[in-house]
Structures are given as structure tokens and as C-alpha cells.
Amino acid sequence: MNYDVIVIGSGPGGYVAAIRASQLGLKVAVVEKENLGGICLNWGCIPTKSLLKSAQAFEYAIHAADYGVAIEGEVKPDFGAMVKRSRDVADGMSKGIQFLFKKNKVESIFGWGKLAGKNTVEVTDDKGKKSSYTAKHIILATGARSRELPNLPQDGEKIIGYRKALTLDKQPDSMVVVGSGAIGSEFAYFYHTIGTKVTLVEFMPTLVPNEDADVAKQLERNFKKSKMKVMTGSSVESVDTSGDKCKVTIKTKKGEEVVEADIVLSAVGIAPNTENIGLEEIGVETDNGRVKVDEYYKTNVDGVYAIGDIVAGPALAHVASAEGITCVEKIAGLNPEPIDYGNIPGCTYTSPEVSSVGLTEAKAKEAGYEIKVGKFPYSASGKASAAGQKDGFVKLIFDAKYGELLGAHMIGGNVTEMIAEMVVAKKLEITGHELIKTIHPHPTMSEAVMEAAAAAYDEVIHI
């Protein structure tokens, strides 16, 4: 065997798995068809956060007078500079993975990797040359791509996916964003904030449909307050791209409406990259396009594993990383605890930010729990008021019988940095009263967690 472990794909699942395997004394190689870091570092999580920070800085500049800062002359977004900054940030992160691989003695093999028989990976480089490598264990971490709908085929010019949205040559005057999950909502916020006329279309009755209903309503209120056009309970029936502008036919509860836009961004989810990686050739089982695995990510074929967006579960970078670590620790003979998929945090980096973990209020009731719900508004938070971010709240859901935290749902400034506390609380089975008695520093936005817990038990002080 050339290696103990070969990982196909170097995204947040693949590169983390490779480094952890090397730390555990295994000889490791990673096969990557493009840039180290995969979609997340190069075309997803990281560059989008850079663009969103630019939008936030522009928003602060526009509202500088609210903070007692006078700016003379016109404040304008420099779209090209924003895109360049985001690419520089992504490139820096990708170089960071190169450094980590070197430090941890992980070998990089560039090319298209696929399973080619027992314990064998075939890699085709950019010149078409094929090479074979062997390993006792092969981990598939090939990630996902933008999903295409039949009535919304992406042409890369007028109908685009998230990748193209990161590197447009010029800022569009108008845009229709289809889908209001994290990707759609973040791009809608970014482009709208820097001056593009955005229409956000969502098939489900609320924005960010996986979030608690109260959070979804608050985000919709904020978007509408900022003059973004939001169309929920609506679907894009067709797009006519024959003219200068796209004519988007949208079916709503009141009938059909045609919206004209320069660009249509399709953000209707992702499709796993399971084609042409040798699954069928060696008999790896799939279910609805995703690879079937056990709790330690082993497939039905001995020595083959799969993690991240190509297996069932939330398609999130931090989930892929956790799966990679769990997978290789099991391979190395450790006894890792299987991942609890009921305790996975999710974040949406709009303004206001959204974060959550666990059951929504509706899901908790559906599951048969008798619940206590506590909600603390940012309007009552001293730190949020000082920051000029009074929109939002923290909402906590507890099991009335045992006091167990069932879910945490937040919208407002800084909440993506606050949700980890709730993940730890759930993991350690902290009760509502224990949260109330955990002293939070003042003034912070995180005090809203303590206050929301107190609100659930009618002990809240500040509302």
C-alpha cells in the first residue's frame, strides 16, 4: 500500500480528516481536482463572509452620522475592490491549508480522483495522465455543487449559481434571488446593501425555512424595512433570457407576476458530487444520490468511507469536519463518540445575523414535549442599543418536565458568535435554572441568553 489513508477532496471534511489521520500516525494523501480547501474556503463560507463584511462596512459608512461621525462627500461601494478582497482572503486561506499539510506531512495529489477497484484510487491530472495509488482506507469527501432546477437552468451569464455570484465582472442593477436559505439570504443581503435592486423569492411560506417561525418573521421584517422586495410562498415558473434583461415569471398566491432583472441567482440548495468517482464500479451503495454510511462513515464496501455533503445530514462545513475527525479516529483504533445530529448549530450571516441549534418551537410541540419558552428582545439589551443593533432577540425552548434545553434560536448582532454556548449547554444537558444562575458579563449581547432562560421561568429582570 502507498498510504494508510487516501482522502478524495480537500474541503473542510477532507483536509480536516487528513490532518487528524496524520496526527494519529497514519500515512496520508489527499487528492484534489482544484484548490486546497475545496468549495468552502475558495467559493463558499470564506469569500462570502468577506463580501458580507464589505457590505457591513458600507452600511456603517452610510449610517455614520447615527454614531456621531461626519463623512464628507459621497460614500460609494467599489464592487471590483470588494470582489478582489474576497478572492485575496480565499487565496490566503487556501495557502494556509498548504502550510498545514506540509506541517502535518500530508501529501497532495492534484487531479480527478476516483475509486478504481479494491483499495485503489485512480487520479487523472489536468493533462489527462492517469496514475494509480493504493491505501488501506479511502475516504470520499467530494462535496457538493449548486443544484439546478429544470425551469432554472444555469447559463453562467444571466442565470447563475453562487460561485459566479462571487466573481461577477460588474455589479448588476437588479437581481432576482431564488431560494432564501443561508446562501440565498446572504447574497440577497449583500447585493441589496450595496445598491442592487433585489427581489428574494422563496417557495416556502417563510424565509430561512429551517429556522424557527419567529426568527423567520423577524428577518423578513428587517429585509422589507430595508426596502428589499420579498416574495414568500412563491415559485419561479420560467425565465426568459432572450432580451437584454431576464423576464422572470413568478407564481404567487395572488397570481402570476413578471419581474425584470439583469441577473437571476439560483440558490435552491446543493447537489452532491457523487458522479464519476467510481461508486458504481465497486458497488458502493447510495440512497437518493447520497452515499449510505454507518455511524462511523463506513460504506458497504470494506475500506471505503464517505463524509460531508455526499452523505445524509446537514450540508455544513463544521459537520463535514466533525465527521472527518470521527471517521479517522475510528480507523485509527480509537473509540470516538458518534455525532449527535440533534445538536448541530446553523448560522446565516445576514444583517441581522441568524443562528440556531436544536428543535424549533413547532418541532418541539410536534415531538410531544410540554415546553417552556423564554424570549429576550435586543431592544432591552444595553450592548445592542449602544451598538445600534436593537432588532432581534434570543429565544430558548426548554422541556417543562426536566428543564432540558431543547432548542435555541437567535436573530440579531453577533448571534453567530453566541450560539456555541448553547451547543455546549445542550451537550452537557444544562437545565434552564443552571443557565439562569450562570453569570454572564455585562454589558454583552450574550446576556440575552441568561435573560431568555429567566424569561422562560418568569424570573426575567430587564423586561
Side-chain angles (χ1 to χ4, degrees), residues 212-404:
D212 188 85
D214 288 348
V215 168
K217 283 177 200 156
Q218 178 70 52
L219 185 65
E220 186 169 337
R221 269 198 302 274
N222 278 86
F223 277 180
K224 285 180 172 175
K225 191 165 82 173
S226 71
K227 304 290 190 288
M228 186 193 297
K229 185 173 182 179
V230 175
M231 301 173 75
T232 52
S234 305
S235 60
V236 172
E237 298 298 292
S238 63
V239 181
D240 178 359
T241 59
S242 58
D244 287 341
K245 287 187 179 290
C246 301
K247 289 187 177 173
V248 187
T249 302
I250 301 167
K251 185 179 176 184
T252 73
K253 284 168 264 186
K254 296 176 182 172
E256 286 194 345
E257 183 177 331
V258 177
V259 175
E260 289 197 350
D262 295 325
I263 295 280
V264 176
L265 169 57
S266 177
V268 290
I270 58 163
N273 294 326
T274 51
E275 304 88 351
N276 304 316
I277 58 171
L279 298 180
E280 300 84 358
E281 287 88 332
I282 69 164
V284 174
E285 288 179 5
T286 60
D287 183 24
N288 286 330
R290 285 180 160 76
V291 180
K292 286 172 74 174
V293 293
D294 67 11
E295 61 187 353
Y296 293 110
Y297 312 99
K298 191 176 184 304
T299 69
N300 63 301
V301 176
D302 195 40
V304 178
Y305 310 78
I307 60 171
D309 295 354
I310 61 168
V311 302
L316 298 167
H318 44 283
V319 173
S321 296
E323 288 173 347
I325 289 170
T326 302
C327 178
V328 297
E329 287 186 347
K330 186 68 174 174
I331 286 169
L334 304 184
N335 191 28
E337 184 184 339
I339 290 171
D340 174 7
Y341 286 93
N343 196 22
I344 303 290
C347 297
T348 303
Y349 300 84
T350 44
S351 184
E353 293 180 350
V354 172
S355 67
S356 62
V357 66
L359 298 176
T360 62
E361 183 175 351
K363 285 274 168 65
K365 287 175 179 171
E366 213 177 279
Y369 287 102
E370 190 184 327
I371 59 172
K372 285 184 179 291
V373 179
K375 203 168 168 185
F376 188 79
Y378 262 32
S379 56
S381 160
K383 180 70 181 291
S385 293
Q389 296 178 319
K390 289 166 73 171
D391 287 340
F393 57 83
V394 171
K395 176 179 178 178
L396 302 182
I397 299 155
F398 298 96
D399 173 14
K401 191 174 180 184
Y402 298 110
E404 178 192 355

Side-chain angles (χ1 to χ4, degrees), residues 102-145:
K102 193 174 178 183
K103 177 188 169 192
N104 289 281
K105 298 182 174 57
V106 174
E107 292 183 39
S108 302
I109 302 167
F110 287 94
W112 182 280
K114 65 179 289 188
L115 300 167
K118 186 171 172 57
N119 303 112
T120 305
V121 174
E122 180 186 86
V123 180
T124 307
D125 68 16
D126 56 2
K127 294 183 177 66
K129 185 189 169 197
K130 296 183 191 303
S131 307
S132 288
Y133 302 87
T134 55
K136 292 175 200 161
H137 309 279
I138 299 166
I139 302 173
L140 303 171
T142 49
R145 61 190 181 278

Side-chain angles (χ1 to χ4, degrees), residues 159-229:
I159 304 177
I160 63 172
Y162 61 80
R163 187 160 173 162
K164 184 69 178 176
L166 286 164
T167 55
L168 287 173
D169 294 332
K170 66 184 181 70
Q171 181 184 343
D173 292 328
S174 54
M175 176 184 277
V176 171
V177 178
V178 186
S180 74
I183 294 170
S185 290
E186 287 175 11
F187 274 116
Y189 163 71
F190 167 71
Y191 277 103
H192 175 72
T193 301
I194 63 170
T196 296
K197 184 184 176 186
V198 170
T199 301
L200 179 57
V201 182
E202 172 54 55
F203 176 73
M204 300 297 281
T206 63
L207 296 183
V208 286
N210 291 331
E211 299 296 341
D212 188 85
D214 288 348
V215 168
K217 283 177 200 156
Q218 178 70 52
L219 185 65
E220 186 169 337
R221 269 198 302 274
N222 278 86
F223 277 180
K224 285 180 172 175
K225 191 165 82 173
S226 71
K227 304 290 190 288
M228 186 193 297
K229 185 173 182 179

